[in-house]
PDB file of all heavy atoms in Angstrom:
ATOM      1  N   ILE T   1      -2.394 240.799  82.483  1.00 98.00           N
ATOM      2  CA  ILE T   1      -2.656 239.372  82.114  1.00 98.00           C
ATOM      3  C   ILE T   1      -3.809 238.786  82.954  1.00 98.00           C
ATOM      4  O   ILE T   1      -3.969 237.572  82.957  1.00 98.00           O
ATOM      5  CB  ILE T   1      -1.449 238.492  82.116  1.00 98.00           C
ATOM      6  CG1 ILE T   1      -0.955 238.332  83.568  1.00 98.00           C
ATOM      7  CG2 ILE T   1      -0.331 239.066  81.192  1.00 98.00           C
ATOM      8  CD1 ILE T   1      -0.067 237.110  83.734  1.00 98.00           C
ATOM      9  N   THR T   2      -4.542 239.609  83.634  1.00 98.00           N
ATOM     10  CA  THR T   2      -5.602 239.130  84.533  1.00 98.00           C
ATOM     11  C   THR T   2      -6.463 238.082  83.881  1.00 98.00           C
ATOM     12  O   THR T   2      -6.784 237.073  84.474  1.00 98.00           O
ATOM     13  CB  THR T   2      -6.386 240.286  85.144  1.00 98.00           C
ATOM     14  OG1 THR T   2      -5.562 241.281  85.653  1.00 98.00           O
ATOM     15  CG2 THR T   2      -7.292 239.805  86.241  1.00 98.00           C
ATOM     16  N   ASP T   3      -6.885 238.389  82.650  1.00 98.00           N
ATOM     17  CA  ASP T   3      -7.778 237.519  81.918  1.00 98.00           C
ATOM     18  C   ASP T   3      -7.120 236.261  81.388  1.00 98.00           C
ATOM     19  O   ASP T   3      -7.847 235.387  80.844  1.00 98.00           O
ATOM     20  CB  ASP T   3      -8.480 238.255  80.784  1.00 98.00           C
ATOM     21  CG  ASP T   3      -9.345 239.385  81.288  1.00 98.00           C
ATOM     22  OD1 ASP T   3      -9.783 239.346  82.421  1.00 98.00           O
ATOM     23  OD2 ASP T   3      -9.606 240.333  80.514  1.00 98.00           O
ATOM     24  N   HIS T   4      -5.799 236.181  81.521  1.00 98.00           N
ATOM     25  CA  HIS T   4      -5.059 235.014  80.975  1.00 98.00           C
ATOM     26  C   HIS T   4      -4.219 234.311  82.008  1.00 98.00           C
ATOM     27  O   HIS T   4      -3.401 233.456  81.668  1.00 98.00           O
ATOM     28  CB  HIS T   4      -4.168 235.522  79.834  1.00 98.00           C
ATOM     29  CG  HIS T   4      -4.921 236.027  78.678  1.00 98.00           C
ATOM     30  ND1 HIS T   4      -5.415 235.239  77.651  1.00 98.00           N
ATOM     31  CD2 HIS T   4      -5.397 237.318  78.385  1.00 98.00           C
ATOM     32  CE1 HIS T   4      -6.060 236.028  76.780  1.00 98.00           C
ATOM     33  NE2 HIS T   4      -6.097 237.275  77.217  1.00 98.00           N
ATOM     34  N   VAL T   5      -4.442 234.670  83.284  1.00 98.00           N
ATOM     35  CA  VAL T   5      -3.603 234.087  84.306  1.00 98.00           C
ATOM     36  C   VAL T   5      -3.832 232.613  84.496  1.00 98.00           C
ATOM     37  O   VAL T   5      -2.871 231.834  84.762  1.00 98.00           O
ATOM     38  CB  VAL T   5      -3.764 234.815  85.689  1.00 98.00           C
ATOM     39  CG1 VAL T   5      -5.163 234.554  86.232  1.00 98.00           C
ATOM     40  CG2 VAL T   5      -2.661 234.418  86.623  1.00 98.00           C
ATOM     41  N   GLU T   6      -5.046 232.094  84.265  1.00 98.00           N
ATOM     42  CA  GLU T   6      -5.347 230.690  84.420  1.00 98.00           C
ATOM     43  C   GLU T   6      -4.597 229.872  83.340  1.00 98.00           C
ATOM     44  O   GLU T   6      -4.113 228.798  83.632  1.00 98.00           O
ATOM     45  CB  GLU T   6      -6.859 230.469  84.361  1.00 98.00           C
ATOM     46  CG  GLU T   6      -7.592 230.934  85.594  1.00 98.00           C
ATOM     47  CD  GLU T   6      -7.018 230.312  86.880  1.00 98.00           C
ATOM     48  OE1 GLU T   6      -6.615 229.140  86.886  1.00 98.00           O
ATOM     49  OE2 GLU T   6      -6.947 231.047  87.876  1.00 98.00           O
ATOM     50  N   ALA T   7      -4.551 230.437  82.123  1.00 98.00           N
ATOM     51  CA  ALA T   7      -3.783 229.729  81.077  1.00 98.00           C
ATOM     52  C   ALA T   7      -2.287 229.684  81.470  1.00 98.00           C
ATOM     53  O   ALA T   7      -1.620 228.656  81.261  1.00 98.00           O
ATOM     54  CB  ALA T   7      -3.985 230.435  79.751  1.00 98.00           C
ATOM     55  N   LYS T   8      -1.785 230.790  82.028  1.00 98.00           N
ATOM     56  CA  LYS T   8      -0.377 230.783  82.446  1.00 98.00           C
ATOM     57  C   LYS T   8      -0.123 229.761  83.536  1.00 98.00           C
ATOM     58  O   LYS T   8       0.833 229.004  83.484  1.00 98.00           O
ATOM     59  CB  LYS T   8      -0.016 232.202  82.969  1.00 98.00           C
ATOM     60  CG  LYS T   8       1.416 232.368  83.557  1.00 98.00           C
ATOM     61  CD  LYS T   8       1.585 233.720  84.157  1.00 98.00           C
ATOM     62  CE  LYS T   8       2.936 233.937  84.829  1.00 98.00           C
ATOM     63  NZ  LYS T   8       4.026 234.078  83.778  1.00 98.00           N
ATOM     64  N   LEU T   9      -1.043 229.723  84.508  1.00 97.00           N
ATOM     65  CA  LEU T   9      -0.862 228.740  85.597  1.00 97.00           C
ATOM     66  C   LEU T   9      -0.997 227.331  85.088  1.00 97.00           C
ATOM     67  O   LEU T   9      -0.268 226.435  85.599  1.00 97.00           O
ATOM     68  CB  LEU T   9      -1.876 229.056  86.727  1.00 97.00           C
ATOM     69  CG  LEU T   9      -1.633 230.340  87.489  1.00 97.00           C
ATOM     70  CD1 LEU T   9      -2.807 230.579  88.416  1.00 97.00           C
ATOM     71  CD2 LEU T   9      -0.304 230.332  88.203  1.00 97.00           C
ATOM     72  N   GLU T  10      -1.903 227.059  84.149  1.00 97.00           N
ATOM     73  CA  GLU T  10      -1.975 225.791  83.576  1.00 97.00           C
ATOM     74  C   GLU T  10      -0.657 225.330  82.931  1.00 97.00           C
ATOM     75  O   GLU T  10      -0.225 224.186  83.003  1.00 97.00           O
ATOM     76  CB  GLU T  10      -3.092 225.716  82.567  1.00 97.00           C
ATOM     77  CG  GLU T  10      -4.514 225.675  83.101  1.00 97.00           C
ATOM     78  CD  GLU T  10      -5.568 225.593  82.062  1.00 97.00           C
ATOM     79  OE1 GLU T  10      -5.229 225.232  80.932  1.00 97.00           O
ATOM     80  OE2 GLU T  10      -6.734 225.851  82.333  1.00 97.00           O
ATOM     81  N   ALA T  11      -0.005 226.312  82.238  1.00 98.00           N
ATOM     82  CA  ALA T  11       1.300 226.015  81.635  1.00 98.00           C
ATOM     83  C   ALA T  11       2.327 225.689  82.677  1.00 98.00           C
ATOM     84  O   ALA T  11       3.146 224.724  82.529  1.00 98.00           O
ATOM     85  CB  ALA T  11       1.736 227.194  80.780  1.00 98.00           C
ATOM     86  N   ILE T  12       2.365 226.413  83.770  1.00 96.00           N
ATOM     87  CA  ILE T  12       3.352 226.183  84.864  1.00 96.00           C
ATOM     88  C   ILE T  12       3.114 224.826  85.506  1.00 96.00           C
ATOM     89  O   ILE T  12       4.009 224.084  85.830  1.00 96.00           O
ATOM     90  CB  ILE T  12       3.268 227.324  85.890  1.00 96.00           C
ATOM     91  CG1 ILE T  12       3.843 228.599  85.245  1.00 96.00           C
ATOM     92  CG2 ILE T  12       4.043 226.940  87.132  1.00 96.00           C
ATOM     93  CD1 ILE T  12       3.669 229.831  86.117  1.00 96.00           C
ATOM     94  N   ARG T  13       1.811 224.445  85.659  1.00 95.00           N
ATOM     95  CA  ARG T  13       1.495 223.196  86.336  1.00 95.00           C
ATOM     96  C   ARG T  13       2.075 221.977  85.600  1.00 95.00           C
ATOM     97  O   ARG T  13       2.287 220.891  86.180  1.00 95.00           O
ATOM     98  CB  ARG T  13      -0.031 223.043  86.461  1.00 95.00           C
ATOM     99  CG  ARG T  13      -0.690 223.977  87.399  1.00 95.00           C
ATOM    100  CD  ARG T  13      -2.191 223.758  87.467  1.00 95.00           C
ATOM    101  NE  ARG T  13      -2.827 224.880  88.163  1.00 95.00           N
ATOM    102  CZ  ARG T  13      -3.784 225.648  87.607  1.00 95.00           C
ATOM    103  NH1 ARG T  13      -4.160 225.414  86.408  1.00 95.00           N
ATOM    104  NH2 ARG T  13      -4.326 226.607  88.268  1.00 95.00           N
ATOM    105  N   VAL T  14       2.244 222.089  84.292  1.00 95.00           N
ATOM    106  CA  VAL T  14       2.763 220.996  83.496  1.00 95.00           C
ATOM    107  C   VAL T  14       4.153 220.578  83.911  1.00 95.00           C
ATOM    108  O   VAL T  14       4.545 219.435  83.830  1.00 95.00           O
ATOM    109  CB  VAL T  14       2.719 221.355  82.006  1.00 95.00           C
ATOM    110  CG1 VAL T  14       3.459 220.365  81.144  1.00 95.00           C
ATOM    111  CG2 VAL T  14       1.281 221.500  81.544  1.00 95.00           C
ATOM    112  N   HIS T  15       4.963 221.487  84.453  1.00 93.00           N
ATOM    113  CA  HIS T  15       6.349 221.268  84.733  1.00 93.00           C
ATOM    114  C   HIS T  15       6.495 220.537  86.082  1.00 93.00           C
ATOM    115  O   HIS T  15       7.238 221.036  86.977  1.00 93.00           O
ATOM    116  CB  HIS T  15       7.140 222.545  84.688  1.00 93.00           C
ATOM    117  CG  HIS T  15       7.176 223.223  83.348  1.00 93.00           C
ATOM    118  ND1 HIS T  15       7.980 222.760  82.331  1.00 93.00           N
ATOM    119  CD2 HIS T  15       6.452 224.234  82.871  1.00 93.00           C
ATOM    120  CE1 HIS T  15       7.818 223.517  81.256  1.00 93.00           C
ATOM    121  NE2 HIS T  15       6.862 224.433  81.583  1.00 93.00           N
ATOM    122  N   LEU T  16       5.928 219.404  86.188  1.00 81.00           N
ATOM    123  CA  LEU T  16       5.951 218.675  87.493  1.00 81.00           C
ATOM    124  C   LEU T  16       7.341 218.163  87.870  1.00 81.00           C
ATOM    125  O   LEU T  16       7.651 217.987  89.040  1.00 81.00           O
ATOM    126  CB  LEU T  16       4.966 217.499  87.439  1.00 81.00           C
ATOM    127  CG  LEU T  16       3.493 217.902  87.475  1.00 81.00           C
ATOM    128  CD1 LEU T  16       2.626 216.658  87.284  1.00 81.00           C
ATOM    129  CD2 LEU T  16       3.155 218.598  88.833  1.00 81.00           C
ATOM    130  N   SER T  17       8.223 217.904  86.845  1.00 84.00           N
ATOM    131  CA  SER T  17       9.520 217.477  87.181  1.00 84.00           C
ATOM    132  C   SER T  17      10.389 218.568  87.911  1.00 84.00           C
ATOM    133  O   SER T  17      11.324 218.259  88.611  1.00 84.00           O
ATOM    134  CB  SER T  17      10.293 217.047  85.900  1.00 84.00           C
ATOM    135  OG  SER T  17      10.591 218.160  85.100  1.00 84.00           O
ATOM    136  N   GLN T  18       9.925 219.822  87.777  1.00 81.00           N
ATOM    137  CA  GLN T  18      10.653 220.923  88.411  1.00 81.00           C
ATOM    138  C   GLN T  18       9.972 221.546  89.572  1.00 81.00           C
ATOM    139  O   GLN T  18      10.568 222.079  90.491  1.00 81.00           O
ATOM    140  CB  GLN T  18      10.861 222.030  87.348  1.00 81.00           C
ATOM    141  CG  GLN T  18      11.452 221.555  86.016  1.00 81.00           C
ATOM    142  CD  GLN T  18      12.735 220.828  86.217  1.00 81.00           C
ATOM    143  OE1 GLN T  18      13.696 221.357  86.745  1.00 81.00           O
ATOM    144  NE2 GLN T  18      12.727 219.543  85.784  1.00 81.00           N
ATOM    145  N   HIS T  19       8.610 221.496  89.618  1.00 78.00           N
ATOM    146  CA  HIS T  19       7.880 222.170  90.604  1.00 78.00           C
ATOM    147  C   HIS T  19       6.746 221.311  91.151  1.00 78.00           C
ATOM    148  O   HIS T  19       5.587 221.457  90.906  1.00 78.00           O
ATOM    149  CB  HIS T  19       7.253 223.470  90.032  1.00 78.00           C
ATOM    150  CG  HIS T  19       8.266 224.285  89.293  1.00 78.00           C
ATOM    151  ND1 HIS T  19       9.257 225.010  89.971  1.00 78.00           N
ATOM    152  CD2 HIS T  19       8.491 224.454  87.980  1.00 78.00           C
ATOM    153  CE1 HIS T  19       9.986 225.649  89.006  1.00 78.00           C
ATOM    154  NE2 HIS T  19       9.599 225.267  87.834  1.00 78.00           N
ATOM    155  N   PRO T  20       7.158 220.311  92.013  1.00 78.00           N
ATOM    156  CA  PRO T  20       6.136 219.394  92.522  1.00 78.00           C
ATOM    157  C   PRO T  20       5.152 219.991  93.464  1.00 78.00           C
ATOM    158  O   PRO T  20       4.044 219.528  93.654  1.00 78.00           O
ATOM    159  CB  PRO T  20       7.018 218.293  93.236  1.00 78.00           C
ATOM    160  CG  PRO T  20       8.355 218.970  93.531  1.00 78.00           C
ATOM    161  CD  PRO T  20       8.529 219.949  92.422  1.00 78.00           C
ATOM    162  N   ASP T  21       5.547 221.098  94.169  1.00 86.00           N
ATOM    163  CA  ASP T  21       4.618 221.759  95.063  1.00 86.00           C
ATOM    164  C   ASP T  21       3.852 222.835  94.302  1.00 86.00           C
ATOM    165  O   ASP T  21       4.212 224.017  94.305  1.00 86.00           O
ATOM    166  CB  ASP T  21       5.370 222.418  96.269  1.00 86.00           C
ATOM    167  CG  ASP T  21       4.477 222.900  97.358  1.00 86.00           C
ATOM    168  OD1 ASP T  21       3.279 223.084  97.120  1.00 86.00           O
ATOM    169  OD2 ASP T  21       4.966 223.099  98.510  1.00 86.00           O
ATOM    170  N   ILE T  22       2.852 222.412  93.614  1.00 88.00           N
ATOM    171  CA  ILE T  22       2.131 223.322  92.698  1.00 88.00           C
ATOM    172  C   ILE T  22       1.409 224.426  93.531  1.00 88.00           C
ATOM    173  O   ILE T  22       1.407 225.592  93.074  1.00 88.00           O
ATOM    174  CB  ILE T  22       1.033 222.543  91.936  1.00 88.00           C
ATOM    175  CG1 ILE T  22       1.773 221.677  90.884  1.00 88.00           C
ATOM    176  CG2 ILE T  22       0.079 223.490  91.171  1.00 88.00           C
ATOM    177  CD1 ILE T  22       2.569 222.443  89.858  1.00 88.00           C
ATOM    178  N   ALA T  23       0.852 224.155  94.646  1.00 90.00           N
ATOM    179  CA  ALA T  23       0.160 225.141  95.426  1.00 90.00           C
ATOM    180  C   ALA T  23       1.081 226.307  95.845  1.00 90.00           C
ATOM    181  O   ALA T  23       0.721 227.472  95.693  1.00 90.00           O
ATOM    182  CB  ALA T  23      -0.469 224.516  96.673  1.00 90.00           C
ATOM    183  N   ALA T  24       2.251 225.964  96.345  1.00 93.00           N
ATOM    184  CA  ALA T  24       3.215 227.016  96.742  1.00 93.00           C
ATOM    185  C   ALA T  24       3.709 227.793  95.532  1.00 93.00           C
ATOM    186  O   ALA T  24       3.841 229.020  95.575  1.00 93.00           O
ATOM    187  CB  ALA T  24       4.433 226.342  97.455  1.00 93.00           C
ATOM    188  N   THR T  25       3.908 227.061  94.422  1.00 93.00           N
ATOM    189  CA  THR T  25       4.314 227.797  93.195  1.00 93.00           C
ATOM    190  C   THR T  25       3.282 228.749  92.709  1.00 93.00           C
ATOM    191  O   THR T  25       3.619 229.906  92.329  1.00 93.00           O
ATOM    192  CB  THR T  25       4.613 226.743  92.099  1.00 93.00           C
ATOM    193  OG1 THR T  25       5.632 225.817  92.523  1.00 93.00           O
ATOM    194  CG2 THR T  25       5.027 227.388  90.785  1.00 93.00           C
ATOM    195  N   GLU T  26       2.083 228.354  92.775  1.00 95.00           N
ATOM    196  CA  GLU T  26       0.995 229.247  92.284  1.00 95.00           C
ATOM    197  C   GLU T  26       0.866 230.468  93.209  1.00 95.00           C
ATOM    198  O   GLU T  26       0.625 231.583  92.728  1.00 95.00           O
ATOM    199  CB  GLU T  26      -0.327 228.493  92.212  1.00 95.00           C
ATOM    200  CG  GLU T  26      -0.358 227.486  91.069  1.00 95.00           C
ATOM    201  CD  GLU T  26      -1.749 226.907  90.809  1.00 95.00           C
ATOM    202  OE1 GLU T  26      -2.757 227.452  91.332  1.00 95.00           O
ATOM    203  OE2 GLU T  26      -1.832 225.897  90.045  1.00 95.00           O
ATOM    204  N   ARG T  27       0.992 230.294  94.463  1.00 96.00           N
ATOM    205  CA  ARG T  27       0.922 231.399  95.437  1.00 96.00           C
ATOM    206  C   ARG T  27       2.018 232.405  95.133  1.00 96.00           C
ATOM    207  O   ARG T  27       1.826 233.611  95.080  1.00 96.00           O
ATOM    208  CB  ARG T  27       0.977 230.951  96.879  1.00 96.00           C
ATOM    209  CG  ARG T  27      -0.250 230.256  97.386  1.00 96.00           C
ATOM    210  CD  ARG T  27      -0.201 230.144  98.908  1.00 96.00           C
ATOM    211  NE  ARG T  27       0.895 229.342  99.407  1.00 96.00           N
ATOM    212  CZ  ARG T  27       0.868 228.014  99.529  1.00 96.00           C
ATOM    213  NH1 ARG T  27      -0.313 227.384  99.247  1.00 96.00           N
ATOM    214  NH2 ARG T  27       1.861 227.338  99.997  1.00 96.00           N
ATOM    215  N   PHE T  28       3.240 231.878  94.865  1.00 95.00           N
ATOM    216  CA  PHE T  28       4.398 232.732  94.583  1.00 95.00           C
ATOM    217  C   PHE T  28       4.133 233.459  93.285  1.00 95.00           C
ATOM    218  O   PHE T  28       4.381 234.728  93.182  1.00 95.00           O
ATOM    219  CB  PHE T  28       5.644 231.863  94.446  1.00 95.00           C
ATOM    220  CG  PHE T  28       6.820 232.554  93.850  1.00 95.00           C
ATOM    221  CD1 PHE T  28       7.604 233.431  94.626  1.00 95.00           C
ATOM    222  CD2 PHE T  28       7.169 232.380  92.519  1.00 95.00           C
ATOM    223  CE1 PHE T  28       8.699 234.109  94.064  1.00 95.00           C
ATOM    224  CE2 PHE T  28       8.233 233.050  91.948  1.00 95.00           C
ATOM    225  CZ  PHE T  28       9.040 233.861  92.732  1.00 95.00           C
ATOM    226  N   VAL T  29       3.693 232.802  92.240  1.00 97.00           N
ATOM    227  CA  VAL T  29       3.484 233.461  90.921  1.00 97.00           C
ATOM    228  C   VAL T  29       2.387 234.514  91.036  1.00 97.00           C
ATOM    229  O   VAL T  29       2.587 235.650  90.528  1.00 97.00           O
ATOM    230  CB  VAL T  29       3.104 232.389  89.847  1.00 97.00           C
ATOM    231  CG1 VAL T  29       2.625 233.060  88.585  1.00 97.00           C
ATOM    232  CG2 VAL T  29       4.292 231.447  89.601  1.00 97.00           C
ATOM    233  N   ARG T  30       1.274 234.221  91.652  1.00 98.00           N
ATOM    234  CA  ARG T  30       0.217 235.229  91.833  1.00 98.00           C
ATOM    235  C   ARG T  30       0.707 236.457  92.596  1.00 98.00           C
ATOM    236  O   ARG T  30       0.383 237.606  92.192  1.00 98.00           O
ATOM    237  CB  ARG T  30      -1.012 234.629  92.476  1.00 98.00           C
ATOM    238  CG  ARG T  30      -1.805 233.676  91.551  1.00 98.00           C
ATOM    239  CD  ARG T  30      -3.073 233.189  92.310  1.00 98.00           C
ATOM    240  NE  ARG T  30      -3.937 232.439  91.475  1.00 98.00           N
ATOM    241  CZ  ARG T  30      -4.872 232.936  90.612  1.00 98.00           C
ATOM    242  NH1 ARG T  30      -5.004 234.252  90.531  1.00 98.00           N
ATOM    243  NH2 ARG T  30      -5.599 232.151  89.851  1.00 98.00           N
ATOM    244  N   ALA T  31       1.467 236.220  93.656  1.00 97.00           N
ATOM    245  CA  ALA T  31       1.935 237.345  94.460  1.00 97.00           C
ATOM    246  C   ALA T  31       2.892 238.258  93.602  1.00 97.00           C
ATOM    247  O   ALA T  31       2.804 239.468  93.686  1.00 97.00           O
ATOM    248  CB  ALA T  31       2.692 236.846  95.680  1.00 97.00           C
ATOM    249  N   ARG T  32       3.722 237.608  92.804  1.00 97.00           N
ATOM    250  CA  ARG T  32       4.642 238.392  91.992  1.00 97.00           C
ATOM    251  C   ARG T  32       3.906 239.204  90.892  1.00 97.00           C
ATOM    252  O   ARG T  32       4.168 240.395  90.639  1.00 97.00           O
ATOM    253  CB  ARG T  32       5.709 237.482  91.338  1.00 97.00           C
ATOM    254  CG  ARG T  32       6.843 238.275  90.661  1.00 97.00           C
ATOM    255  CD  ARG T  32       7.946 237.308  90.255  1.00 97.00           C
ATOM    256  NE  ARG T  32       7.553 236.516  89.103  1.00 97.00           N
ATOM    257  CZ  ARG T  32       8.265 235.564  88.566  1.00 97.00           C
ATOM    258  NH1 ARG T  32       9.473 235.290  89.129  1.00 97.00           N
ATOM    259  NH2 ARG T  32       7.855 234.827  87.541  1.00 97.00           N
ATOM    260  N   LEU T  33       2.878 238.552  90.284  1.00 98.00           N
ATOM    261  CA  LEU T  33       2.120 239.239  89.255  1.00 98.00           C
ATOM    262  C   LEU T  33       1.311 240.379  89.860  1.00 98.00           C
ATOM    263  O   LEU T  33       1.193 241.436  89.247  1.00 98.00           O
ATOM    264  CB  LEU T  33       1.183 238.225  88.567  1.00 98.00           C
ATOM    265  CG  LEU T  33       1.785 237.063  87.827  1.00 98.00           C
ATOM    266  CD1 LEU T  33       0.751 236.136  87.343  1.00 98.00           C
ATOM    267  CD2 LEU T  33       2.657 237.620  86.619  1.00 98.00           C
ATOM    268  N   ALA T  34       0.795 240.198  91.074  1.00 98.00           N
ATOM    269  CA  ALA T  34       0.015 241.223  91.748  1.00 98.00           C
ATOM    270  C   ALA T  34       0.975 242.427  92.061  1.00 98.00           C
ATOM    271  O   ALA T  34       0.536 243.580  91.970  1.00 98.00           O
ATOM    272  CB  ALA T  34      -0.609 240.666  92.962  1.00 98.00           C
ATOM    273  N   ALA T  35       2.147 242.111  92.575  1.00 97.00           N
ATOM    274  CA  ALA T  35       3.097 243.197  92.866  1.00 97.00           C
ATOM    275  C   ALA T  35       3.457 244.011  91.675  1.00 97.00           C
ATOM    276  O   ALA T  35       3.629 245.210  91.702  1.00 97.00           O
ATOM    277  CB  ALA T  35       4.315 242.550  93.559  1.00 97.00           C
ATOM    278  N   THR T  36       3.633 243.285  90.540  1.00 97.00           N
ATOM    279  CA  THR T  36       3.978 243.998  89.261  1.00 97.00           C
ATOM    280  C   THR T  36       2.853 244.929  88.878  1.00 97.00           C
ATOM    281  O   THR T  36       3.081 246.072  88.509  1.00 97.00           O
ATOM    282  CB  THR T  36       4.277 242.931  88.185  1.00 97.00           C
ATOM    283  OG1 THR T  36       5.410 242.185  88.533  1.00 97.00           O
ATOM    284  CG2 THR T  36       4.478 243.647  86.821  1.00 97.00           C
ATOM    285  N   ALA T  37       1.623 244.424  89.008  1.00 98.00           N
ATOM    286  CA  ALA T  37       0.481 245.233  88.585  1.00 98.00           C
ATOM    287  C   ALA T  37       0.336 246.464  89.558  1.00 98.00           C
ATOM    288  O   ALA T  37       0.124 247.595  89.085  1.00 98.00           O
ATOM    289  CB  ALA T  37      -0.796 244.452  88.665  1.00 98.00           C
ATOM    290  N   ALA T  38       0.524 246.240  90.842  1.00 98.00           N
ATOM    291  CA  ALA T  38       0.436 247.337  91.790  1.00 98.00           C
ATOM    292  C   ALA T  38       1.474 248.397  91.569  1.00 98.00           C
ATOM    293  O   ALA T  38       1.287 249.549  91.621  1.00 98.00           O
ATOM    294  CB  ALA T  38       0.471 246.778  93.218  1.00 98.00           C
ATOM    295  N   GLY T  39       2.701 247.859  91.257  1.00 96.00           N
ATOM    296  CA  GLY T  39       3.831 248.842  90.984  1.00 96.00           C
ATOM    297  C   GLY T  39       3.593 249.657  89.809  1.00 96.00           C
ATOM    298  O   GLY T  39       4.151 250.827  89.692  1.00 96.00           O
ATOM    299  N   ALA T  40       2.794 249.128  88.857  1.00 97.00           N
ATOM    300  CA  ALA T  40       2.492 249.941  87.610  1.00 97.00           C
ATOM    301  C   ALA T  40       1.285 250.784  87.788  1.00 97.00           C
ATOM    302  O   ALA T  40       0.880 251.459  86.821  1.00 97.00           O
ATOM    303  CB  ALA T  40       2.356 248.988  86.465  1.00 97.00           C
ATOM    304  N   GLY T  41       0.620 250.746  88.956  1.00 97.00           N
ATOM    305  CA  GLY T  41      -0.524 251.604  89.178  1.00 97.00           C
ATOM    306  C   GLY T  41      -1.800 251.004  88.637  1.00 97.00           C
ATOM    307  O   GLY T  41      -2.808 251.764  88.489  1.00 97.00           O
ATOM    308  N   LEU T  42      -1.877 249.695  88.370  1.00 98.00           N
ATOM    309  CA  LEU T  42      -3.066 249.114  87.882  1.00 98.00           C
ATOM    310  C   LEU T  42      -4.088 248.909  89.037  1.00 98.00           C
ATOM    311  O   LEU T  42      -3.686 248.920  90.194  1.00 98.00           O
ATOM    312  CB  LEU T  42      -2.813 247.763  87.252  1.00 98.00           C
ATOM    313  CG  LEU T  42      -1.875 247.739  85.995  1.00 98.00           C
ATOM    314  CD1 LEU T  42      -1.824 246.331  85.440  1.00 98.00           C
ATOM    315  CD2 LEU T  42      -2.359 248.737  84.965  1.00 98.00           C
ATOM    316  N   GLN T  43      -5.309 248.806  88.684  1.00 97.00           N
ATOM    317  CA  GLN T  43      -6.396 248.665  89.677  1.00 97.00           C
ATOM    318  C   GLN T  43      -6.129 247.436  90.590  1.00 97.00           C
ATOM    319  O   GLN T  43      -5.609 246.413  90.121  1.00 97.00           O
ATOM    320  CB  GLN T  43      -7.702 248.500  88.966  1.00 97.00           C
ATOM    321  CG  GLN T  43      -8.947 248.465  89.899  1.00 97.00           C
ATOM    322  CD  GLN T  43     -10.260 248.352  89.076  1.00 97.00           C
ATOM    323  OE1 GLN T  43     -10.204 248.287  87.876  1.00 97.00           O
ATOM    324  NE2 GLN T  43     -11.394 248.294  89.825  1.00 97.00           N
ATOM    325  N   ALA T  44      -6.545 247.550  91.855  1.00 96.00           N
ATOM    326  CA  ALA T  44      -6.374 246.469  92.802  1.00 96.00           C
ATOM    327  C   ALA T  44      -7.010 245.172  92.246  1.00 96.00           C
ATOM    328  O   ALA T  44      -8.124 245.217  91.661  1.00 96.00           O
ATOM    329  CB  ALA T  44      -6.959 246.828  94.119  1.00 96.00           C
TER     330      ALA T  44
END
């Protein structure tokens, strides 16, 4: 989803009632997505 991650993050940013610390949330999401890709053998 590399080419669509910004759309995903925009969707997550909308949920301000649940995730007021957007910066920390985005770091967490990106790290998890990167780990999934690495575990599947995708390019760095």
Side-chain angles (χ1 to χ4, degrees):
I1 66 158
T2 309
D3 295 338
H4 296 272
V5 69
E6 288 305 322
K8 177 185 178 75
L9 292 174
E10 285 183 17
I12 291 173
R13 291 180 194 122
V14 170
H15 297 282
L16 288 174
S17 70
Q18 310 305 301
H19 310 287
D21 190 341
I22 291 297
T25 300
E26 290 190 13
R27 287 194 299 271
F28 168 78
V29 170
R30 284 185 176 275
R32 191 171 71 184
L33 298 174
T36 297
L42 299 185
Q43 185 179 0

